[in-house]
Amino acid sequence: MKWKKSWLTVSMVMTLSFALIGCSDGESFTPQEVVDNALQETKEVSAYFGEYTLDFGDEESSATVKEWVKDGKRRIEMQSENGEHFITVNDSKEIKMLDVKENHVIILPIPEETLEELGSQSPKDQAMMLLNMTKDSHDISIAGEEKIAGRDAYHVVAKAKKKDALLGDIEVWIDKKSWVTLKVVTANVGNVMTTEYQKIDFDTKIDDAQFVLDIPADATVEKLNEEDLGSAPSTIEEAKAKLGQFLIVPEQDGVKISAVEDMKMEETSEYAFDYVIDHVPAFSLTVFKPVSGQTEIEALPSESVIDVRGYKGTKMDEGDFRYIGWLEGDYQYGMIIENSELTFEEVLRYAEMMTTVQ
């Protein structure tokens, strides 16, 4: 459905608030050193109004965004060059998104554990989260100081150590006084996305009415529950009923299915099967119906082409994330290696053993 892609985009914009920090030029730091050595005089901010642009860097159009933030609540108004217009409000209990063009509203609750997690994260916590995520795969350095939206900012660079890595180079510009990220440039799987503030005001007074979404009387309203998001426990029988006769790794010689999940993907009917070998987590097999018209799997820049069961497949080796995927018959398959001691060659042998589900 069209709204799913737009929803992901707006959700990303709603949560794009991580921070990186630093204090000197051209040197490499450990994550803790970057945090400990910089922004000693910063102060927390609880409210601001901002305007920024979002450029996807490919065939996607750019967008302009207005943002109101106050005490954990947020309002985003995003308009793209192709005429899309979204208004999204997070009132700390629910997220409501209005697709103005389609006159369609999505409402979903914010899980309590998510509220607790987000509420407990300071800008420093968010900085450490990203820095620790990239500490092994990237070289982190301070590229200097620049002005963004008229404010002094540190320019921090996280350079991927591996060419064509799934998570590529990241650049961020952090406000020296507030910890707010004023500009982000990310390079992922061949695409470059840039978010940059043109205006940010920490002194403006924001009325609580900004965090109430006015829903048009004639709008179509779709209210989602927590169970509508993400995956849900399932069974092989339910997967067969939805997918039909797909291939699966047979349970034999210590190989067992430990869990089945419905990934709640309406268009592809994706299911995931978690496998253990002698009671130890081994790999996860995903099965779904490919997008209409897709006849061959395409390799991402971070993937290499391999043969899987006589079909063109792809292999991704990102250290902690190892994966093979291929198209066969009416289905697309993927195997995520969860046991660090399993090799690609061993997992490919399990793929060769696959038979039609019984």
Side-chain angles (χ1 to χ4, degrees):
M1 293 175 62
K2 176 183 175 183
W3 70 264
K4 284 190 175 180
K5 181 180 179 182
S6 300
W7 173 251
L8 289 173
T9 299
V10 175
S11 297
M12 174 189 63
V13 171
M14 292 285 287
T15 58
L16 187 60
S17 60
F18 59 79
L20 290 172
I21 49 174
C23 65
S24 60
D25 298 345
E27 301 179 46
S28 290
F29 293 87
T30 66
Q32 191 62 52
E33 285 174 333
V34 172
V35 172
D36 289 343
N37 292 337
L39 298 182
Q40 299 298 320
E41 298 180 2
T42 58
K43 63 179 182 179
E44 298 283 353
V45 294
S46 60
Y48 63 86
F49 167 76
E51 296 180 11
Y52 60 88
T53 55
L54 183 61
D55 187 346
F56 291 95
D58 56 12
E59 69 276 4
E60 298 281 356
S61 64
S62 62
T64 57
V65 182
K66 293 183 179 180
E67 174 187 38
W68 293 259
V69 176
K70 180 182 179 182
D71 298 329
K73 300 177 182 180
R74 176 167 285 159
R75 180 187 182 95
I76 293 285
E77 295 188 7
M78 183 170 67
Q79 290 186 278
S80 68
E81 288 183 344
N82 61 14
E84 290 183 324
H85 182 192
F86 298 97
I87 301 173
T88 306
V89 172
N90 175 351
D91 64 7
S92 80
K93 295 181 180 179
E94 292 182 319
I95 294 177
K96 300 182 178 75
M97 184 185 79
L98 169 63
D99 182 333
V100 176
K101 188 176 180 180
E102 299 292 334
N103 203 24
H104 185 197
V105 176
I106 303 292
I107 302 175
L108 73 156
I110 304 174
E112 185 174 343
E113 59 271 19
T114 301
L115 280 175
E116 292 176 357
E117 181 180 352
L118 293 176
S120 64
Q121 284 186 350
S122 68
K124 180 175 179 178
D125 294 330
Q126 295 169 23
M128 287 303 299
M129 182 186 302
L130 182 64
L131 286 164
N132 282 320
M133 184 177 70
T134 59
K135 66 179 181 180
D136 295 326
S137 58
H138 292 64
D139 291 318
I140 300 171
S141 62
I142 312 304
E145 299 180 21
E146 298 178 28
K147 279 192 178 291
I148 304 293
R151 299 182 64 87
D152 293 328
Y154 288 112
H155 179 191
V156 183
V157 175
K159 192 80 173 176
K161 296 178 181 178
K162 183 179 177 182
K163 185 179 180 181
D164 294 331
L166 180 62
L167 181 61
D169 297 342
I170 302 170
E171 294 184 72
V172 290
W173 287 257
I174 307 303
D175 185 79
K176 293 174 64 174
K177 293 184 177 179
S178 70
W179 292 79
V180 172
T181 304
L182 299 175
K183 181 177 179 180
V184 184
V185 178
T186 58
N188 296 314
V189 291
N191 294 325
V192 177
M193 187 176 75
T194 302
T195 302
E196 181 174 0
Y197 279 88
Q198 279 74 47
K199 176 181 179 181
I200 190 162
D201 185 351
F202 297 103
D203 298 320
T204 186
K205 294 186 180 297
I206 300 177
D207 194 288
D208 288 338
Q210 287 286 4
F211 308 106
V212 177
L213 180 66
D214 294 325
I215 300 176
D218 59 345
T220 301
V221 178
E222 184 175 0
K223 190 163 187 175
L224 304 179
N225 300 313
E226 287 185 37
E227 53 267 27
D228 295 321
L229 306 174
S231 61
S234 188
T235 65
I236 291 179
E237 287 69 27
E238 290 176 349
K240 285 168 59 178
K242 189 171 288 188
L243 284 170
Q245 295 296 304
F246 55 92
L247 297 173
I248 199 167
V249 177
E251 294 185 287
Q252 61 187 35
D253 301 327
V255 179
K256 297 288 184 181
I257 295 175
S258 60
V260 180
E261 290 183 277
D262 181 349
M263 304 308 290
K264 296 293 186 179
M265 302 297 288
E266 182 180 328
E267 295 177 70
T268 60
S269 303
E270 180 175 352
Y271 279 80
F273 303 85
D274 293 335
Y275 280 84
V276 296
I277 300 176
D278 295 330
H279 308 291
V280 177
F283 55 85
S284 176
L285 171 69
T286 59
V287 185
F288 59 93
K289 297 175 181 177
V291 177
S292 178
Q294 184 181 4
T295 59
E296 190 175 76
I297 194 166
E298 295 294 330
L300 298 171
S302 56
E303 294 178 318
S304 56
V305 176
I306 61 171
D307 179 87
V308 185
R309 294 175 50 84
Y311 295 87
K312 176 186 175 182
T314 62
K315 180 179 79 171
M316 179 182 293
D317 186 356
E318 289 291 319
D320 292 335
F321 182 77
R322 295 181 297 156
Y323 170 87
I324 62 171
W326 73 100
L327 276 171
E328 182 173 347
D330 296 327
Y331 304 97
Q332 183 164 333
Y333 298 89
M335 297 179 76
I336 300 172
I337 305 174
E338 297 175 348
N339 188 332
S340 61
E341 296 184 3
L342 273 179
T343 66
F344 277 105
E345 290 73 22
E346 289 172 314
V347 172
L348 285 169
R349 285 197 290 270
Y350 285 114
E352 292 292 339
M353 296 166 55
M354 290 173 68
T355 58
T356 302
V357 65
Q358 301 299 314

Coordinates of all heavy atoms in Angstrom, one line a residue, residues 9-89:
T9 N 8.7 6.8 5.9 CA 9.4 8.1 5.7 C 9.2 9.1 6.8 O 10.1 9.6 7.4 CB 9.1 8.7 4.3 OG1 9.4 7.8 3.3 CG2 9.8 10.0 4.1
V10 N 7.9 9.3 7.1 CA 7.5 10.2 8.1 C 8.0 9.7 9.5 O 8.4 10.5 10.3 CB 6.0 10.5 8.1 CG1 5.6 11.4 9.3 CG2 5.6 11.1 6.8
S11 N 7.9 8.4 9.8 CA 8.3 7.9 11.0 C 9.8 8.2 11.2 O 10.3 8.5 12.3 CB 8.1 6.4 11.1 OG 6.7 6.1 11.1
M12 N 10.6 8.0 10.1 CA 12.0 8.3 10.1 C 12.3 9.7 10.5 O 13.1 10.0 11.3 CB 12.6 7.9 8.8 CG 14.1 8.3 8.7 SD 14.6 8.1 7.0 CE 13.6 9.3 6.1
V13 N 11.5 10.6 9.9 CA 11.7 12.0 10.1 C 11.3 12.4 11.6 O 12.0 13.1 12.2 CB 10.8 12.9 9.2 CG1 10.8 14.3 9.6 CG2 11.3 12.7 7.7
M14 N 10.3 11.7 12.1 CA 9.8 12.0 13.5 C 10.9 11.6 14.5 O 11.0 12.1 15.6 CB 8.5 11.2 13.8 CG 7.3 11.6 13.0 SD 6.7 13.2 13.6 CE 5.9 12.6 15.2
T15 N 11.7 10.6 14.2 CA 12.6 10.1 15.2 C 14.1 10.4 14.8 O 15.0 10.0 15.5 CB 12.6 8.5 15.2 OG1 12.8 8.0 13.9 CG2 11.2 8.1 15.7
L16 N 14.3 11.2 13.8 CA 15.7 11.6 13.4 C 16.2 12.7 14.4 O 16.1 13.8 14.1 CB 15.7 12.1 12.0 CG 17.1 12.3 11.4 CD1 17.9 11.1 11.3 CD2 16.9 12.9 10.0
S17 N 16.7 12.2 15.5 CA 17.2 13.2 16.5 C 18.5 12.8 17.2 O 18.8 13.3 18.3 CB 16.1 13.5 17.5 OG 15.8 12.3 18.2
F18 N 19.2 11.8 16.6 CA 20.4 11.4 17.3 C 21.5 12.4 17.2 O 21.4 13.3 16.4 CB 20.9 10.0 16.7 CG 21.2 10.1 15.3 CD1 22.4 10.7 14.8 CD2 20.4 9.6 14.3 CE1 22.7 10.7 13.4 CE2 20.6 9.6 13.0 CZ 21.8 10.2 12.5
A19 N 22.5 12.3 18.0 CA 23.6 13.3 18.0 C 25.0 12.6 18.1 O 25.1 11.6 18.8 CB 23.4 14.2 19.2
L20 N 25.9 13.2 17.4 CA 27.4 12.9 17.6 C 28.1 14.1 18.0 O 27.7 15.3 17.7 CB 27.9 12.4 16.2 CG 27.5 11.0 15.7 CD1 28.0 10.9 14.3 CD2 28.0 9.9 16.6
I21 N 29.2 14.0 18.7 CA 29.9 15.2 19.2 C 31.4 15.1 19.1 O 31.9 14.0 19.0 CB 29.5 15.4 20.7 CG1 29.6 14.1 21.5 CG2 28.1 16.0 20.8 CD1 29.4 14.3 22.9
G22 N 32.1 16.2 19.2 CA 33.5 16.1 19.2 C 34.1 17.5 19.5 O 33.4 18.5 19.6
C23 N 35.5 17.6 19.5 CA 36.1 18.8 20.0 C 37.4 19.2 19.3 O 37.9 20.3 19.5 CB 36.3 18.8 21.5 SG 37.5 17.6 22.0
S24 N 37.9 18.4 18.4 CA 39.2 18.8 17.7 C 39.2 18.2 16.3 O 38.5 17.3 16.0 CB 40.4 18.3 18.6 OG 40.4 16.9 18.7
D25 N 40.1 18.8 15.5 CA 40.1 18.6 14.1 C 40.9 17.4 13.7 O 42.0 17.2 14.2 CB 40.6 19.8 13.3 CG 39.7 21.0 13.6 OD1 38.6 20.8 14.0 OD2 40.2 22.1 13.2
G26 N 40.3 16.5 12.8 CA 41.1 15.5 12.1 C 41.6 14.3 12.9 O 42.2 13.5 12.3
E27 N 41.3 14.2 14.2 CA 41.8 13.1 15.0 C 40.7 12.1 15.0 O 39.5 12.3 15.0 CB 42.1 13.6 16.4 CG 43.2 14.7 16.4 CD 43.5 15.1 17.8 OE1 43.6 14.2 18.7 OE2 43.5 16.3 18.1
S28 N 41.1 10.8 15.2 CA 40.2 9.7 15.4 C 40.0 9.5 16.9 O 40.9 9.6 17.7 CB 40.7 8.4 14.8 OG 40.6 8.6 13.4
F29 N 38.7 9.1 17.3 CA 38.4 9.0 18.7 C 37.6 7.7 18.9 O 36.9 7.2 18.0 CB 37.5 10.1 19.2 CG 38.2 11.4 19.3 CD1 38.2 12.2 18.1 CD2 38.7 11.9 20.4 CE1 38.8 13.5 18.2 CE2 39.4 13.1 20.5 CZ 39.4 13.9 19.3
T30 N 37.7 7.1 20.1 CA 36.8 6.1 20.5 C 35.4 6.7 20.8 O 35.4 7.9 21.0 CB 37.2 5.3 21.7 OG1 37.2 6.2 22.8 CG2 38.6 4.7 21.5
P31 N 34.3 6.0 20.7 CA 33.0 6.6 21.0 C 33.0 7.4 22.4 O 32.5 8.5 22.5 CB 32.1 5.4 21.0 CG 32.7 4.5 20.1 CD 34.1 4.6 20.3
Q32 N 33.6 6.8 23.4 CA 33.6 7.4 24.7 C 34.4 8.7 24.7 O 34.0 9.7 25.3 CB 34.1 6.5 25.8 CG 33.9 7.0 27.2 CD 32.4 7.1 27.5 OE1 31.6 6.2 27.3 NE2 32.0 8.3 28.0
E33 N 35.5 8.7 24.0 CA 36.4 9.9 23.9 C 35.7 11.0 23.2 O 35.8 12.2 23.6 CB 37.7 9.6 23.2 CG 38.7 8.7 24.0 CD 39.9 8.3 23.2 OE1 39.8 8.2 22.0 OE2 40.9 8.1 23.8
V34 N 34.9 10.7 22.2 CA 34.2 11.7 21.5 C 33.2 12.4 22.4 O 33.0 13.6 22.4 CB 33.5 11.1 20.2 CG1 32.5 12.2 19.6 CG2 34.5 10.7 19.2
V35 N 32.5 11.6 23.2 CA 31.5 12.2 24.1 C 32.2 12.9 25.3 O 31.8 14.0 25.6 CB 30.6 11.0 24.7 CG1 29.7 11.6 25.8 CG2 29.8 10.4 23.5
D36 N 33.2 12.3 25.8 CA 33.8 12.9 27.0 C 34.6 14.2 26.7 O 34.7 15.1 27.6 CB 34.8 11.9 27.7 CG 34.0 10.8 28.3 OD1 32.8 10.9 28.5 OD2 34.7 9.7 28.6
N37 N 35.1 14.4 25.5 CA 36.0 15.5 25.2 C 35.3 16.7 24.6 O 35.9 17.6 24.2 CB 37.1 15.1 24.3 CG 38.0 14.1 24.9 OD1 38.1 14.1 26.1 ND2 38.7 13.3 24.1
A38 N 33.9 16.7 24.5 CA 33.3 17.8 23.8 C 32.0 18.3 24.5 O 31.4 17.7 25.3 CB 33.0 17.3 22.4
L39 N 31.6 19.5 24.0 CA 30.4 20.1 24.4 C 30.2 20.1 25.9 O 29.1 19.7 26.4 CB 29.2 19.4 23.7 CG 29.2 19.4 22.2 CD1 28.0 18.7 21.6 CD2 29.2 20.8 21.7
Q40 N 31.2 20.6 26.6 CA 31.1 20.6 28.1 C 30.0 21.6 28.6 O 29.5 21.4 29.7 CB 32.5 20.9 28.6 CG 33.6 19.9 28.3 CD 33.3 18.6 28.8 OE1 32.8 18.4 29.9 NE2 33.5 17.5 27.9
E41 N 29.7 22.6 27.8 CA 28.8 23.7 28.3 C 27.4 23.6 27.6 O 26.7 24.5 27.7 CB 29.4 25.0 28.1 CG 30.8 25.2 28.8 CD 31.3 26.6 28.6 OE1 30.7 27.4 27.8 OE2 32.4 26.9 29.1
T42 N 27.1 22.4 27.1 CA 25.8 22.3 26.4 C 24.7 22.3 27.5 O 24.9 21.9 28.6 CB 25.7 21.1 25.6 OG1 25.9 19.9 26.4 CG2 26.7 21.1 24.4
K43 N 23.5 22.6 27.0 CA 22.3 22.5 27.9 C 21.2 21.8 27.2 O 21.0 21.9 26.0 CB 21.9 23.9 28.4 CG 21.4 24.8 27.3 CD 21.0 26.2 27.8 CE 20.4 27.1 26.7 NZ 20.0 28.4 27.2
E44 N 20.4 21.1 28.0 CA 19.3 20.4 27.4 C 18.2 21.4 26.9 O 18.0 22.4 27.5 CB 18.6 19.4 28.4 CG 19.6 18.4 28.9 CD 19.8 17.2 27.9 OE1 19.1 17.2 26.9 OE2 20.6 16.4 28.1
V45 N 17.6 21.1 25.8 CA 16.5 21.9 25.3 C 15.2 21.1 25.3 O 15.2 19.9 25.0 CB 16.7 22.4 23.9 CG1 17.9 23.4 23.9 CG2 17.0 21.3 22.9
S46 N 14.1 21.7 25.7 CA 12.8 20.9 25.7 C 11.8 21.3 24.7 O 10.8 20.7 24.4 CB 12.2 21.1 27.1 OG 11.9 22.5 27.4
A47 N 12.1 22.5 24.0 CA 11.2 23.0 23.0 C 11.9 23.7 21.9 O 12.9 24.4 22.2 CB 10.1 23.8 23.6
Y48 N 11.5 23.6 20.7 CA 12.0 24.4 19.6 C 11.1 24.3 18.3 O 10.3 23.3 18.2 CB 13.4 24.1 19.2 CG 13.7 22.7 18.7 CD1 13.5 22.4 17.3 CD2 14.0 21.6 19.5 CE1 13.7 21.1 16.9 CE2 14.2 20.4 19.1 CZ 14.1 20.1 17.7 OH 14.3 18.8 17.3
F49 N 11.2 25.2 17.4 CA 10.6 25.2 16.1 C 11.7 25.2 15.1 O 12.7 25.9 15.2 CB 9.7 26.4 15.9 CG 9.2 26.5 14.5 CD1 8.3 25.7 13.9 CD2 9.8 27.5 13.6 CE1 7.9 25.8 12.6 CE2 9.5 27.6 12.3 CZ 8.5 26.7 11.8
G50 N 11.6 24.3 14.1 CA 12.6 24.3 13.0 C 12.0 24.1 11.7 O 10.9 23.6 11.5
E51 N 12.8 24.4 10.6 CA 12.4 24.2 9.3 C 13.7 23.6 8.6 O 14.8 24.1 8.7 CB 12.0 25.5 8.5 CG 10.8 26.1 9.1 CD 10.4 27.4 8.3 OE1 11.0 27.7 7.3 OE2 9.5 28.1 8.8
Y52 N 13.5 22.5 7.9 CA 14.6 21.8 7.2 C 14.2 21.2 5.9 O 13.0 21.0 5.6 CB 15.3 20.8 8.2 CG 14.4 19.7 8.7 CD1 14.3 18.5 7.9 CD2 13.8 19.7 9.9 CE1 13.5 17.4 8.4 CE2 13.0 18.7 10.4 CZ 12.9 17.5 9.6 OH 12.2 16.5 10.1
T53 N 15.1 20.8 5.1 CA 14.9 20.1 3.9 C 15.4 18.6 4.0 O 16.3 18.3 4.7 CB 15.6 20.8 2.7 OG1 17.0 20.8 3.0 CG2 15.1 22.1 2.4
L54 N 14.7 17.8 3.3 CA 15.0 16.4 3.2 C 15.2 16.0 1.8 O 14.3 16.0 1.0 CB 13.9 15.6 3.8 CG 14.0 14.0 4.0 CD1 15.2 13.7 4.9 CD2 12.7 13.4 4.5
D55 N 16.5 15.6 1.4 CA 16.8 15.3 0.0 C 17.2 13.8 0.0 O 18.2 13.4 0.6 CB 17.9 16.2 -0.4 CG 18.3 16.0 -1.9 OD1 17.8 15.0 -2.5 OD2 19.0 16.8 -2.5
F56 N 16.5 13.0 -0.8 CA 16.8 11.6 -0.9 C 17.9 11.3 -1.8 O 18.4 10.1 -1.8 CB 15.5 10.8 -1.3 CG 14.4 10.8 -0.3 CD1 13.4 11.8 -0.3 CD2 14.4 9.9 0.8 CE1 12.4 11.8 0.7 CE2 13.4 9.9 1.7 CZ 12.4 10.9 1.7
G57 N 18.3 12.2 -2.6 CA 19.5 12.0 -3.4 C 19.4 11.0 -4.6 O 20.4 10.6 -5.2
D58 N 18.2 10.6 -4.9 CA 18.0 9.7 -6.1 C 16.8 10.1 -6.8 O 16.5 11.3 -6.9 CB 18.0 8.2 -5.6 CG 16.9 8.0 -4.6 OD1 16.0 8.8 -4.4 OD2 16.9 6.9 -4.0
E59 N 16.0 9.2 -7.3 CA 14.8 9.5 -8.1 C 13.7 10.0 -7.2 O 12.7 10.6 -7.7 CB 14.3 8.3 -8.9 CG 13.7 7.2 -8.1 CD 14.7 6.2 -7.6 OE1 15.9 6.5 -7.7 OE2 14.3 5.2 -6.9
E60 N 13.8 9.8 -5.9 CA 12.8 10.3 -5.0 C 12.9 11.9 -5.0 O 14.0 12.5 -5.1 CB 13.0 9.8 -3.6 CG 12.9 8.3 -3.5 CD 11.4 7.8 -3.5 OE1 10.5 8.7 -3.5 OE2 11.2 6.6 -3.5
S61 N 11.8 12.5 -4.7 CA 11.7 14.0 -4.7 C 12.2 14.4 -3.3 O 12.2 13.7 -2.3 CB 10.3 14.5 -4.9 OG 9.5 14.1 -3.9
S62 N 12.7 15.7 -3.3 CA 13.0 16.3 -2.0 C 11.8 16.8 -1.3 O 10.7 16.9 -1.9 CB 14.0 17.4 -2.2 OG 13.4 18.4 -3.0
A63 N 11.9 17.1 0.0 CA 10.8 17.6 0.7 C 11.2 18.7 1.7 O 12.4 18.8 2.1 CB 10.2 16.5 1.6
T64 N 10.3 19.6 2.0 CA 10.5 20.6 3.0 C 9.7 20.2 4.2 O 8.5 19.8 4.1 CB 10.1 22.0 2.5 OG1 8.7 22.0 2.1 CG2 10.9 22.4 1.3
V65 N 10.3 20.5 5.4 CA 9.6 20.0 6.7 C 9.6 21.2 7.7 O 10.6 21.9 7.8 CB 10.4 18.8 7.3 CG1 9.7 18.3 8.5 CG2 10.5 17.7 6.2
K66 N 8.5 21.3 8.4 CA 8.4 22.2 9.5 C 8.1 21.3 10.7 O 7.4 20.3 10.7 CB 7.2 23.1 9.4 CG 7.4 24.2 8.3 CD 6.2 25.1 8.2 CE 6.4 26.2 7.1 NZ 5.3 27.2 7.0
E67 N 8.8 21.7 11.8 CA 8.8 20.8 13.0 C 8.6 21.6 14.3 O 9.2 22.6 14.5 CB 10.1 20.1 13.1 CG 10.4 19.2 14.3 CD 11.8 18.7 14.3 OE1 12.7 19.4 13.9 OE2 12.0 17.6 14.7
W68 N 7.7 21.2 15.1 CA 7.5 21.8 16.4 C 7.7 20.7 17.5 O 7.2 19.6 17.4 CB 6.0 22.2 16.6 CG 5.6 23.4 15.7 CD1 5.5 24.7 16.1 CD2 5.2 23.3 14.3 NE1 5.1 25.4 15.0 CE2 4.9 24.6 13.9 CE3 5.1 22.3 13.4 CZ2 4.4 24.9 12.6 CZ3 4.6 22.6 12.1 CH2 4.3 23.9 11.8
V69 N 8.6 21.0 18.5 CA 8.9 20.0 19.5 C 8.8 20.7 20.9 O 9.2 21.8 21.1 CB 10.4 19.6 19.4 CG1 10.8 18.6 20.5 CG2 10.6 18.9 18.0
K70 N 8.1 20.0 21.8 CA 7.9 20.5 23.1 C 7.7 19.4 24.1 O 6.7 18.6 24.0 CB 6.7 21.5 23.2 CG 6.5 22.1 24.5 CD 5.2 23.0 24.5 CE 4.9 23.6 25.8 NZ 3.7 24.5 25.8
D71 N 8.5 19.2 25.1 CA 8.3 18.3 26.2 C 8.0 16.9 25.7 O 7.1 16.2 26.2 CB 7.2 18.8 27.1 CG 7.5 20.1 27.8 OD1 8.7 20.4 28.0 OD2 6.6 20.9 28.1
G72 N 8.8 16.4 24.7 CA 8.6 15.1 24.2 C 7.5 14.9 23.2 O 7.3 13.8 22.6
K73 N 6.8 16.0 22.9 CA 5.7 15.9 21.8 C 6.3 16.5 20.6 O 7.2 17.3 20.6 CB 4.5 16.7 22.3 CG 3.8 16.2 23.6 CD 2.7 17.0 24.0 CE 2.1 16.5 25.3 NZ 0.9 17.3 25.7
R74 N 5.8 16.1 19.4 CA 6.3 16.6 18.2 C 5.2 16.7 17.1 O 4.4 15.8 17.0 CB 7.4 15.6 17.7 CG 8.0 16.0 16.3 CD 9.3 15.2 16.1 NE 10.4 15.8 16.9 CZ 11.5 15.2 17.2 NH1 11.7 13.9 16.9 NH2 12.4 15.8 17.9
R75 N 5.3 17.7 16.3 CA 4.5 17.9 15.1 C 5.4 18.1 13.9 O 6.3 18.9 13.9 CB 3.5 19.1 15.3 CG 2.6 19.3 14.1 CD 1.8 20.6 14.2 NE 0.9 20.8 13.1 CZ -0.4 20.5 13.2 NH1 -0.9 20.0 14.3 NH2 -1.2 20.7 12.1
I76 N 5.1 17.3 12.8 CA 5.8 17.4 11.6 C 4.9 17.7 10.5 O 3.8 17.1 10.3 CB 6.5 16.1 11.3 CG1 7.6 15.8 12.3 CG2 7.1 16.1 9.9 CD1 8.9 16.6 12.2
E77 N 5.2 18.7 9.7 CA 4.4 19.0 8.4 C 5.4 18.9 7.3 O 6.3 19.7 7.2 CB 3.8 20.4 8.5 CG 2.7 20.5 9.6 CD 1.9 21.8 9.5 OE1 2.1 22.5 8.5 OE2 1.1 22.0 10.4
M78 N 5.2 17.9 6.4 CA 6.1 17.6 5.3 C 5.4 17.8 4.0 O 4.4 17.2 3.8 CB 6.7 16.2 5.5 CG 7.8 15.9 4.4 SD 8.6 14.3 4.8 CE 7.3 13.1 4.6
Q79 N 6.0 18.5 3.1 CA 5.5 18.7 1.7 C 6.6 18.3 0.7 O 7.7 18.9 0.8 CB 5.0 20.1 1.5 CG 3.7 20.4 2.2 CD 3.2 21.7 1.8 OE1 3.6 22.8 2.4 NE2 2.2 21.8 1.0
S80 N 6.3 17.5 -0.2 CA 7.4 17.1 -1.2 C 7.1 17.8 -2.5 O 6.0 18.3 -2.8 CB 7.3 15.5 -1.4 OG 6.1 15.2 -2.1
E81 N 8.1 17.7 -3.4 CA 8.0 18.4 -4.7 C 7.0 17.7 -5.6 O 6.4 18.4 -6.5 CB 9.4 18.3 -5.4 CG 10.4 19.2 -4.8 CD 11.7 19.2 -5.6 OE1 11.9 18.3 -6.4 OE2 12.6 20.1 -5.4
N82 N 6.7 16.5 -5.4 CA 5.7 15.8 -6.2 C 4.2 16.0 -5.7 O 3.3 15.3 -6.2 CB 6.0 14.3 -6.4 CG 6.0 13.6 -5.0 OD1 5.5 14.1 -4.0 ND2 6.5 12.4 -5.0
G83 N 4.1 16.9 -4.7 CA 2.7 17.2 -4.3 C 2.2 16.5 -3.0 O 1.1 16.8 -2.5
E84 N 3.0 15.5 -2.5 CA 2.6 14.8 -1.3 C 2.7 15.8 -0.1 O 3.6 16.6 0.0 CB 3.5 13.6 -1.1 CG 3.3 12.5 -2.1 CD 4.1 11.3 -1.7 OE1 5.3 11.5 -1.3 OE2 3.6 10.1 -1.9
H85 N 1.7 15.6 0.8 CA 1.6 16.5 1.9 C 1.2 15.7 3.1 O 0.1 15.1 3.1 CB 0.7 17.7 1.7 CG 0.5 18.7 2.8 ND1 -0.5 19.6 2.8 CD2 1.3 18.9 3.9 CE1 -0.3 20.4 3.9 NE2 0.8 19.9 4.6
F86 N 2.0 15.6 4.2 CA 1.7 14.9 5.4 C 1.8 15.7 6.6 O 2.7 16.6 6.7 CB 2.7 13.7 5.5 CG 2.6 12.7 4.4 CD1 3.5 12.8 3.4 CD2 1.6 11.7 4.4 CE1 3.5 11.9 2.3 CE2 1.6 10.8 3.3 CZ 2.5 10.9 2.3
I87 N 0.9 15.6 7.5 CA 0.9 16.2 8.8 C 0.9 15.1 9.9 O 0.0 14.2 9.9 CB -0.3 17.1 9.1 CG1 -0.3 18.2 8.0 CG2 -0.2 17.7 10.5 CD1 -1.5 19.1 8.1
T88 N 2.0 15.0 10.7 CA 2.1 14.0 11.7 C 2.2 14.6 13.1 O 3.0 15.5 13.3 CB 3.3 13.1 11.4 OG1 3.2 12.6 10.0 CG2 3.4 11.9 12.3
V89 N 1.5 14.0 14.0 CA 1.5 14.5 15.4 C 1.8 13.4 16.3 O 1.1 12.4 16.3 CB 0.2 15.2 15.8 CG1 0.2 15.6 17.3 CG2 0.0 16.5 14.9

